[in-house]
Amino acid sequence: MIYPTRMAVLAAVIGAPFALLVAILRPDIWYAGVGWPLAVLALVLVDAWISRAGANATLALPRSTAVGVPLAVRVSIALSGGRDVRSAQVALASDVLLAFDDDARLTVPLEQGRGVGEIMLTPRRRGTAHLGSLWVRWAGPLGLVWRQKRIVAKQSLAILPDVRAIHDQGAQIFQRHAVQGLMAQVDRGDGQDFDALVEFRSGMDRRAIDWKQSARHRRLYAKEYRTERNSQIVFAIDAGRQMSDPVAGVPRIDRAVSAALLAGWVALKLGDRVALNAFDSRPRVASGFIGGARAFPELQHLAAEIEYSGEESNYTFALTMLAARLTRRSMIVLFTEFTDPTSADFMVRAIARLLKTHLVLIVVLRDEELETIVDRAPVAAADVTRAVTAAALLRDRRLVLLRLQHMGVHVIESEHDRVGERLVEGYIDLKRRSLL
Protein backbone atom coordinates (compact mmCIF):
# COMPACT_ATOMS: atom_id res chain seq x y z
CA MET A 1 0.00 0.00 0.00
CA ILE A 2 1.21 3.48 -0.91
CA TYR A 3 -0.26 6.71 0.50
CA PRO A 4 1.01 10.28 1.00
CA THR A 5 2.51 11.51 4.22
CA ARG A 6 1.37 14.53 6.17
CA MET A 7 4.15 16.56 4.59
CA ALA A 8 2.85 15.81 1.10
CA VAL A 9 -0.69 16.80 2.03
CA LEU A 10 0.46 20.07 3.59
CA ALA A 11 2.62 20.84 0.54
CA ALA A 12 -0.39 20.37 -1.74
CA VAL A 13 -2.62 22.49 0.49
CA ILE A 14 -0.10 25.33 0.59
CA GLY A 15 -0.26 25.57 -3.21
CA ALA A 16 -4.05 26.12 -3.21
CA PRO A 17 -3.91 29.84 -2.23
CA PHE A 18 -1.19 30.41 -4.83
CA ALA A 19 -3.34 28.87 -7.62
CA LEU A 20 -6.35 30.94 -6.48
CA LEU A 21 -4.30 34.13 -6.47
CA VAL A 22 -3.01 33.49 -10.01
CA ALA A 23 -6.54 32.80 -11.26
CA ILE A 24 -7.78 36.10 -9.78
CA LEU A 25 -4.89 38.35 -10.90
CA ARG A 26 -4.12 36.73 -14.25
CA PRO A 27 -7.14 34.88 -15.58
CA ASP A 28 -5.48 34.49 -18.94
CA ILE A 29 -2.77 32.23 -17.48
CA TRP A 30 -4.86 30.52 -14.80
CA TYR A 31 -3.29 27.18 -15.71
CA ALA A 32 0.03 28.40 -14.23
CA GLY A 33 -1.46 27.95 -10.75
CA VAL A 34 -1.86 24.23 -11.39
CA GLY A 35 1.90 23.88 -11.64
CA TRP A 36 2.37 23.73 -7.85
CA PRO A 37 0.15 20.71 -7.14
CA LEU A 38 1.46 19.01 -10.27
CA ALA A 39 5.00 19.51 -9.04
CA VAL A 40 4.07 18.06 -5.64
CA LEU A 41 2.42 15.08 -7.37
CA ALA A 42 5.53 14.50 -9.46
CA LEU A 43 7.73 14.55 -6.36
CA VAL A 44 5.38 12.09 -4.63
CA LEU A 45 5.65 9.71 -7.58
CA VAL A 46 9.43 10.04 -7.60
CA ASP A 47 9.58 9.39 -3.85
CA ALA A 48 7.32 6.33 -4.22
CA TRP A 49 9.59 4.96 -6.95
CA ILE A 50 12.76 5.50 -4.96
CA SER A 51 11.37 3.97 -1.76
CA ARG A 52 10.20 0.73 -3.35
CA ALA A 53 11.49 -2.28 -1.38
CA GLY A 54 10.40 -5.67 -0.19
CA ALA A 55 9.67 -5.90 3.52
CA ASN A 56 9.81 -8.79 5.92
CA ALA A 57 9.27 -8.81 9.69
CA THR A 58 9.40 -11.58 12.29
CA LEU A 59 8.42 -11.81 15.95
CA ALA A 60 10.54 -13.73 18.45
CA LEU A 61 7.81 -15.05 20.72
CA PRO A 62 8.46 -17.53 23.53
CA ARG A 63 6.32 -20.64 23.76
CA SER A 64 4.61 -19.38 26.90
CA THR A 65 4.59 -16.58 29.42
CA ALA A 66 2.98 -15.85 32.78
CA VAL A 67 -0.09 -13.73 33.30
CA GLY A 68 0.70 -10.25 34.62
CA VAL A 69 4.41 -10.50 33.78
CA PRO A 70 5.68 -7.86 31.30
CA LEU A 71 7.26 -9.40 28.22
CA ALA A 72 9.60 -7.81 25.68
CA VAL A 73 8.87 -9.15 22.18
CA ARG A 74 11.73 -8.83 19.75
CA VAL A 75 10.81 -7.57 16.28
CA SER A 76 13.26 -8.04 13.38
CA ILE A 77 12.77 -6.04 10.18
CA ALA A 78 14.50 -6.53 6.84
CA LEU A 79 13.94 -4.32 3.77
CA SER A 80 15.29 -5.69 0.53
CA GLY A 81 16.32 -2.83 -1.75
CA GLY A 82 15.65 -0.21 0.92
CA ARG A 83 19.18 0.61 1.99
CA ASP A 84 18.49 4.35 2.02
CA VAL A 85 15.65 3.94 4.52
CA ARG A 86 16.79 4.98 7.99
CA SER A 87 13.82 3.83 10.05
CA ALA A 88 10.59 1.88 9.83
CA GLN A 89 7.46 1.79 11.93
CA VAL A 90 5.87 -1.44 13.17
CA ALA A 91 2.36 -2.05 14.48
CA LEU A 92 0.92 -5.26 15.91
CA ALA A 93 -2.70 -6.41 15.81
CA SER A 94 -4.13 -6.15 19.31
CA ASP A 95 -5.45 -9.08 21.30
CA VAL A 96 -7.95 -8.98 24.16
CA LEU A 97 -5.62 -11.03 26.35
CA LEU A 98 -2.70 -8.63 25.94
CA ALA A 99 -2.00 -5.03 26.91
CA PHE A 100 0.57 -3.24 24.75
CA ASP A 101 2.71 -0.23 25.53
CA ASP A 102 2.37 2.70 23.09
CA ASP A 103 -0.59 1.01 21.36
CA ALA A 104 1.66 -1.77 20.03
CA ARG A 105 3.56 0.69 17.84
CA LEU A 106 7.31 0.86 17.49
CA THR A 107 9.86 2.82 15.47
CA VAL A 108 12.86 0.69 14.53
CA PRO A 109 16.09 2.32 13.32
CA LEU A 110 17.51 0.59 10.24
CA GLU A 111 21.06 0.11 9.08
CA GLN A 112 21.52 -1.22 5.56
CA GLY A 113 17.85 -2.13 5.52
CA ARG A 114 17.88 -4.17 8.73
CA GLY A 115 16.92 -3.40 12.30
CA VAL A 116 15.74 -4.91 15.57
CA GLY A 117 13.37 -3.47 18.18
CA GLU A 118 11.28 -4.55 21.15
CA ILE A 119 7.60 -4.13 21.87
CA MET A 120 6.53 -4.39 25.52
CA LEU A 121 3.34 -6.28 26.27
CA THR A 122 1.68 -7.51 29.43
CA PRO A 123 -0.65 -10.56 29.48
CA ARG A 124 -3.87 -9.63 31.23
CA ARG A 125 -5.55 -13.04 31.34
CA ARG A 126 -4.71 -16.69 30.92
CA GLY A 127 -5.36 -18.37 27.60
CA THR A 128 -3.82 -18.38 24.13
CA ALA A 129 -3.16 -15.00 22.53
CA HIS A 130 -3.02 -14.89 18.73
CA LEU A 131 -0.87 -12.34 16.92
CA GLY A 132 -2.18 -12.62 13.41
CA SER A 133 -1.07 -9.46 11.62
CA LEU A 134 1.99 -7.25 11.59
CA TRP A 135 2.19 -3.95 9.70
CA VAL A 136 5.44 -2.38 8.56
CA ARG A 137 5.67 1.04 6.95
CA TRP A 138 8.54 3.28 5.94
CA ALA A 139 8.83 6.73 4.36
CA GLY A 140 10.64 7.62 1.16
CA PRO A 141 13.85 9.66 1.09
CA LEU A 142 11.86 12.85 0.39
CA GLY A 143 9.38 12.14 3.18
CA LEU A 144 6.37 12.54 0.87
CA VAL A 145 5.04 8.98 0.70
CA TRP A 146 4.45 6.03 3.00
CA ARG A 147 4.92 2.48 1.85
CA GLN A 148 3.08 -0.05 4.02
CA LYS A 149 2.98 -3.82 3.98
CA ARG A 150 0.83 -6.21 5.99
CA ILE A 151 2.58 -9.39 7.07
CA VAL A 152 0.57 -12.36 8.31
CA ALA A 153 2.33 -13.67 11.42
CA LYS A 154 -0.05 -16.44 12.59
CA GLN A 155 1.80 -16.82 15.87
CA SER A 156 0.32 -17.71 19.22
CA LEU A 157 1.43 -17.18 22.79
CA ALA A 158 0.31 -19.44 25.63
CA ILE A 159 -0.42 -17.45 28.79
CA LEU A 160 -0.04 -19.62 31.88
CA PRO A 161 -0.44 -19.02 35.62
CA ASP A 162 2.28 -16.98 37.25
CA VAL A 163 4.81 -19.25 38.99
CA ARG A 164 7.57 -16.67 39.44
CA ALA A 165 7.24 -16.93 43.21
CA ILE A 166 8.14 -20.61 43.04
CA HIS A 167 11.21 -20.05 40.87
CA ASP A 168 12.39 -16.90 42.66
CA GLN A 169 11.32 -17.44 46.27
CA GLY A 170 10.20 -21.07 46.51
CA ALA A 171 13.47 -22.41 47.90
CA GLN A 172 13.77 -19.53 50.40
CA ILE A 173 10.20 -19.91 51.59
CA PHE A 174 10.61 -23.66 51.91
CA GLN A 175 13.82 -23.31 53.95
CA ARG A 176 12.31 -20.57 56.09
CA HIS A 177 9.19 -22.47 57.11
CA ALA A 178 9.69 -26.17 56.40
CA VAL A 179 12.43 -27.28 58.76
CA GLN A 180 11.17 -30.84 58.93
CA GLY A 181 13.67 -33.43 57.89
CA LEU A 182 16.85 -31.46 58.67
CA MET A 183 17.38 -33.33 61.94
CA ALA A 184 15.51 -36.23 63.43
CA GLN A 185 15.19 -34.37 66.76
CA VAL A 186 13.56 -31.40 65.04
CA ASP A 187 11.10 -33.61 63.19
CA ARG A 188 9.80 -35.01 66.45
CA GLY A 189 7.35 -33.25 68.67
CA ASP A 190 5.61 -31.30 65.92
CA GLY A 191 3.03 -33.85 64.79
CA GLN A 192 0.55 -36.28 66.22
CA ASP A 193 1.84 -39.70 65.12
CA PHE A 194 3.34 -41.62 68.05
CA ASP A 195 7.03 -42.39 67.46
CA ALA A 196 8.67 -43.64 70.68
CA LEU A 197 8.55 -43.64 74.47
CA VAL A 198 11.68 -41.96 75.90
CA GLU A 199 12.88 -40.82 79.26
CA PHE A 200 11.70 -37.34 80.11
CA ARG A 201 14.38 -34.67 79.69
CA SER A 202 14.54 -31.04 80.61
CA GLY A 203 12.90 -28.88 77.97
CA MET A 204 10.37 -31.46 76.82
CA ASP A 205 6.66 -30.70 76.85
CA ARG A 206 5.19 -31.83 80.20
CA ARG A 207 1.92 -32.64 78.49
CA ALA A 208 3.72 -35.48 76.69
CA ILE A 209 4.46 -37.34 79.96
CA ASP A 210 2.95 -40.84 80.03
CA TRP A 211 1.98 -41.13 83.69
CA LYS A 212 1.01 -44.79 83.53
CA GLN A 213 4.37 -45.86 82.11
CA SER A 214 6.17 -43.51 84.50
CA ALA A 215 4.43 -45.07 87.49
CA ARG A 216 5.24 -48.57 86.24
CA HIS A 217 8.96 -47.81 85.77
CA ARG A 218 9.17 -45.34 88.66
CA ARG A 219 10.82 -42.82 86.32
CA LEU A 220 9.36 -40.10 84.16
CA TYR A 221 8.72 -41.23 80.59
CA ALA A 222 7.29 -39.10 77.78
CA LYS A 223 5.89 -39.80 74.34
CA GLU A 224 7.67 -38.52 71.28
CA TYR A 225 5.77 -37.84 68.10
CA ARG A 226 6.81 -37.47 64.51
CA THR A 227 5.38 -35.01 62.07
CA GLU A 228 2.29 -36.34 60.36
CA ARG A 229 2.59 -36.51 56.60
CA ASN A 230 0.25 -37.48 53.80
CA SER A 231 -2.35 -34.89 54.84
CA GLN A 232 -4.95 -33.89 52.26
CA ILE A 233 -4.99 -30.28 51.07
CA VAL A 234 -7.80 -29.12 48.76
CA PHE A 235 -7.47 -25.76 46.99
CA ALA A 236 -11.02 -24.62 46.16
CA ILE A 237 -10.94 -21.59 43.85
CA ASP A 238 -14.03 -19.49 43.29
CA ALA A 239 -14.09 -18.75 39.53
CA GLY A 240 -17.28 -16.69 39.60
CA ARG A 241 -17.97 -13.21 38.34
CA GLN A 242 -16.45 -11.30 41.23
CA MET A 243 -13.17 -13.19 41.01
CA SER A 244 -12.72 -11.97 37.43
CA ASP A 245 -12.38 -8.35 38.56
CA PRO A 246 -8.81 -7.09 38.19
CA VAL A 247 -6.53 -6.18 41.08
CA ALA A 248 -3.51 -4.13 40.00
CA GLY A 249 -4.21 -5.13 36.40
CA VAL A 250 -4.51 -8.89 37.03
CA PRO A 251 -7.80 -10.72 37.77
CA ARG A 252 -8.32 -11.93 41.31
CA ILE A 253 -8.61 -15.52 40.13
CA ASP A 254 -5.10 -15.38 38.67
CA ARG A 255 -3.78 -14.05 41.97
CA ALA A 256 -5.51 -16.97 43.68
CA VAL A 257 -4.13 -19.51 41.21
CA SER A 258 -0.56 -18.26 41.70
CA ALA A 259 -0.91 -18.43 45.49
CA ALA A 260 -2.43 -21.92 45.29
CA LEU A 261 0.44 -23.15 43.12
CA LEU A 262 3.04 -21.79 45.55
CA ALA A 263 1.33 -23.37 48.56
CA GLY A 264 0.74 -26.58 46.60
CA TRP A 265 4.42 -26.78 45.70
CA VAL A 266 5.40 -26.46 49.37
CA ALA A 267 2.76 -29.02 50.41
CA LEU A 268 4.00 -31.53 47.85
CA LYS A 269 7.57 -31.01 49.05
CA LEU A 270 6.45 -31.70 52.63
CA GLY A 271 4.83 -34.99 51.66
CA ASP A 272 1.18 -33.92 51.70
CA ARG A 273 -1.34 -34.71 48.98
CA VAL A 274 -2.94 -31.88 47.01
CA ALA A 275 -6.15 -31.54 45.00
CA LEU A 276 -7.54 -28.65 42.96
CA ASN A 277 -11.17 -27.61 42.72
CA ALA A 278 -12.74 -24.68 40.84
CA PHE A 279 -16.38 -23.64 40.66
CA ASP A 280 -18.77 -20.86 39.73
CA SER A 281 -22.46 -21.73 39.45
CA ARG A 282 -21.39 -25.38 39.44
CA PRO A 283 -18.11 -27.31 39.79
CA ARG A 284 -15.80 -26.79 36.81
CA VAL A 285 -12.51 -28.46 37.81
CA ALA A 286 -12.40 -31.34 40.27
CA SER A 287 -9.14 -33.26 40.42
CA GLY A 288 -8.06 -36.18 42.51
CA PHE A 289 -5.28 -36.02 45.08
CA ILE A 290 -1.71 -36.09 43.85
CA GLY A 291 1.47 -36.48 45.86
CA GLY A 292 5.20 -36.04 45.44
CA ALA A 293 7.22 -33.09 44.18
CA ARG A 294 7.23 -34.54 40.66
CA ALA A 295 3.45 -34.15 40.49
CA PHE A 296 3.65 -30.34 40.48
CA PRO A 297 3.54 -30.01 36.64
CA GLU A 298 0.22 -31.86 36.72
CA LEU A 299 -1.08 -29.40 39.31
CA GLN A 300 0.10 -26.50 37.16
CA HIS A 301 -1.64 -27.97 34.12
CA LEU A 302 -4.91 -28.30 36.05
CA ALA A 303 -4.65 -24.69 37.24
CA ALA A 304 -4.22 -23.48 33.66
CA GLU A 305 -7.57 -25.07 32.74
CA ILE A 306 -9.55 -22.86 35.13
CA GLU A 307 -11.68 -20.57 32.97
CA TYR A 308 -12.98 -17.08 33.65
CA SER A 309 -16.68 -16.91 34.29
CA GLY A 310 -19.39 -14.28 34.42
CA GLU A 311 -21.78 -16.39 36.49
CA GLU A 312 -22.55 -16.02 40.17
CA SER A 313 -20.89 -18.44 42.56
CA ASN A 314 -23.04 -21.19 44.07
CA TYR A 315 -21.26 -22.02 47.33
CA THR A 316 -23.89 -24.46 48.52
CA PHE A 317 -23.76 -26.67 45.44
CA ALA A 318 -20.00 -26.52 44.97
CA LEU A 319 -18.95 -27.10 48.59
CA THR A 320 -21.53 -29.84 49.09
CA MET A 321 -20.21 -31.70 46.05
CA LEU A 322 -16.66 -31.19 47.32
CA ALA A 323 -17.49 -32.59 50.76
CA ALA A 324 -19.14 -35.64 49.18
CA ARG A 325 -15.90 -36.49 47.36
CA LEU A 326 -13.72 -36.33 50.50
CA THR A 327 -13.45 -39.58 52.42
CA ARG A 328 -11.22 -38.34 55.27
CA ARG A 329 -10.47 -35.16 57.15
CA SER A 330 -8.87 -32.59 54.85
CA MET A 331 -7.74 -29.01 54.85
CA ILE A 332 -9.87 -26.95 52.45
CA VAL A 333 -8.32 -23.69 51.27
CA LEU A 334 -11.07 -21.53 49.75
CA PHE A 335 -10.14 -18.56 47.57
CA THR A 336 -13.15 -16.32 47.15
CA GLU A 337 -14.50 -12.78 47.06
CA PHE A 338 -17.85 -11.43 48.27
CA THR A 339 -19.46 -8.00 48.26
CA ASP A 340 -23.12 -8.43 49.16
CA PRO A 341 -24.40 -9.93 52.44
CA THR A 342 -26.72 -12.39 50.64
CA SER A 343 -23.98 -14.32 48.86
CA ALA A 344 -21.82 -14.12 51.98
CA ASP A 345 -24.62 -15.69 54.03
CA PHE A 346 -24.86 -18.63 51.61
CA MET A 347 -21.09 -19.06 51.84
CA VAL A 348 -21.12 -19.02 55.66
CA ARG A 349 -23.86 -21.66 55.82
CA ALA A 350 -22.06 -23.93 53.37
CA ILE A 351 -18.78 -23.60 55.28
CA ALA A 352 -20.52 -24.36 58.57
CA ARG A 353 -21.34 -27.84 57.28
CA LEU A 354 -17.72 -28.40 56.24
CA LEU A 355 -16.40 -27.49 59.69
CA LYS A 356 -17.97 -30.59 61.21
CA THR A 357 -15.36 -32.76 59.52
CA HIS A 358 -12.73 -30.63 57.80
CA LEU A 359 -10.37 -27.75 58.49
CA VAL A 360 -11.27 -24.65 56.47
CA LEU A 361 -8.96 -21.78 55.55
CA ILE A 362 -10.38 -18.83 53.59
CA VAL A 363 -8.14 -16.54 51.56
CA VAL A 364 -9.39 -13.14 50.39
CA LEU A 365 -7.58 -10.19 48.88
CA ARG A 366 -7.75 -6.82 50.50
CA ASP A 367 -10.01 -4.43 48.61
CA GLU A 368 -7.43 -1.70 48.14
CA GLU A 369 -9.76 0.32 45.91
CA LEU A 370 -12.37 0.69 48.64
CA GLU A 371 -9.72 1.44 51.25
CA THR A 372 -8.27 4.16 49.03
CA ILE A 373 -11.70 5.74 48.60
CA VAL A 374 -12.26 5.76 52.36
CA ASP A 375 -8.82 7.23 53.16
CA ARG A 376 -8.87 9.88 50.43
CA ALA A 377 -9.72 13.40 51.56
CA PRO A 378 -13.07 14.48 50.01
CA VAL A 379 -13.08 17.41 47.61
CA ALA A 380 -16.68 17.46 46.41
CA ALA A 381 -20.00 16.26 47.81
CA ALA A 382 -19.87 13.19 45.56
CA ASP A 383 -16.60 12.16 47.23
CA VAL A 384 -18.32 12.09 50.63
CA THR A 385 -21.12 9.90 49.31
CA ARG A 386 -18.59 7.61 47.67
CA ALA A 387 -16.54 7.34 50.88
CA VAL A 388 -19.60 6.54 53.01
CA THR A 389 -20.67 3.79 50.59
CA ALA A 390 -17.16 2.31 50.52
CA ALA A 391 -16.96 2.38 54.32
CA ALA A 392 -20.28 0.51 54.56
CA LEU A 393 -19.04 -2.17 52.15
CA LEU A 394 -15.83 -2.60 54.12
CA ARG A 395 -17.79 -2.85 57.38
CA ASP A 396 -20.02 -5.59 55.97
CA ARG A 397 -16.93 -7.39 54.71
CA ARG A 398 -15.24 -7.30 58.12
CA LEU A 399 -18.41 -8.52 59.83
CA VAL A 400 -18.50 -11.58 57.56
CA LEU A 401 -14.83 -12.34 58.21
CA LEU A 402 -15.33 -11.99 61.99
CA ARG A 403 -18.35 -14.28 61.80
CA LEU A 404 -16.25 -16.89 60.02
CA GLN A 405 -13.46 -16.62 62.58
CA HIS A 406 -15.92 -17.09 65.45
CA MET A 407 -17.13 -20.28 63.74
CA GLY A 408 -13.59 -21.65 63.75
CA VAL A 409 -12.60 -20.78 60.19
CA HIS A 410 -9.05 -19.58 59.66
CA VAL A 411 -9.00 -16.39 57.59
CA ILE A 412 -6.17 -14.80 55.61
CA GLU A 413 -6.80 -11.30 54.23
CA SER A 414 -3.73 -10.23 52.35
CA GLU A 415 -2.35 -7.75 49.86
CA HIS A 416 -2.30 -9.00 46.29
CA ASP A 417 1.50 -9.15 46.12
CA ARG A 418 1.94 -11.11 49.37
CA VAL A 419 -0.97 -13.54 49.26
CA GLY A 420 1.20 -16.52 48.28
CA GLU A 421 3.67 -16.06 51.12
CA ARG A 422 0.91 -15.37 53.63
CA LEU A 423 -0.86 -18.57 52.58
CA VAL A 424 2.30 -20.64 53.00
CA GLU A 425 2.84 -19.15 56.46
CA GLY A 426 -0.72 -20.00 57.47
CA TYR A 427 -0.44 -23.54 56.11
CA ILE A 428 2.84 -24.21 57.92
CA ASP A 429 1.44 -22.75 61.16
CA LEU A 430 -1.62 -25.02 61.03
CA LYS A 431 0.60 -27.99 60.25
CA ARG A 432 2.90 -27.30 63.20
CA ARG A 433 -0.09 -26.98 65.52
CA SER A 434 -1.30 -30.41 64.36
CA LEU A 435 -4.64 -29.05 63.19
CA LEU A 436 -4.60 -30.77 59.80
Side-chain angles (χ1 to χ4, degrees), residues 320-351:
T320 301
M321 293 294 293
L322 175 61
R325 295 175 52 247
L326 300 176
T327 58
R328 52 172 285 197
R329 176 177 170 84
S330 305
M331 175 181 175
I332 301 176
V333 182
L334 175 62
F335 298 86
T336 187
E337 178 62 28
F338 50 87
T339 53
D340 58 288
T342 303
S343 61
D345 186 64
F346 281 113
M347 179 187 66
V348 171
R349 295 183 180 182
I351 291 176

Side-chain angles (χ1 to χ4, degrees), residues 342-398:
T342 303
S343 61
D345 186 64
F346 281 113
M347 179 187 66
V348 171
R349 295 183 180 182
I351 291 176
R353 290 188 287 269
L354 290 178
L355 290 174
K356 299 178 181 179
T357 307
H358 307 286
L359 175 68
V360 180
L361 172 64
I362 289 185
V363 181
V364 294
L365 298 179
R366 290 179 54 184
D367 200 326
E368 299 178 357
E369 183 178 359
L370 292 181
E371 294 177 356
T372 302
I373 294 175
V374 173
D375 296 337
R376 183 187 303 140
V379 178
D383 297 335
V384 178
T385 304
R386 193 177 296 108
V388 171
T389 304
L393 292 175
L394 288 177
R395 182 177 61 253
D396 294 341
R397 179 189 182 91
R398 295 191 181 100

Side-chain angles (χ1 to χ4, degrees), residues 90-102:
V90 182
L92 283 176
S94 60
D95 191 279
V96 294
L97 301 181
L98 303 174
F100 293 91
D101 292 351
D102 300 326

Side-chain angles (χ1 to χ4, degrees), residues 231 268 272-275 287-292 295-300 302:
S231 300
L268 292 174
D272 291 334
R273 302 171 65 207
V274 175
S287 71
F289 286 96
I290 58 177
F296 178 75
E298 181 179 353
L299 182 66
Q300 186 178 1
L302 291 170

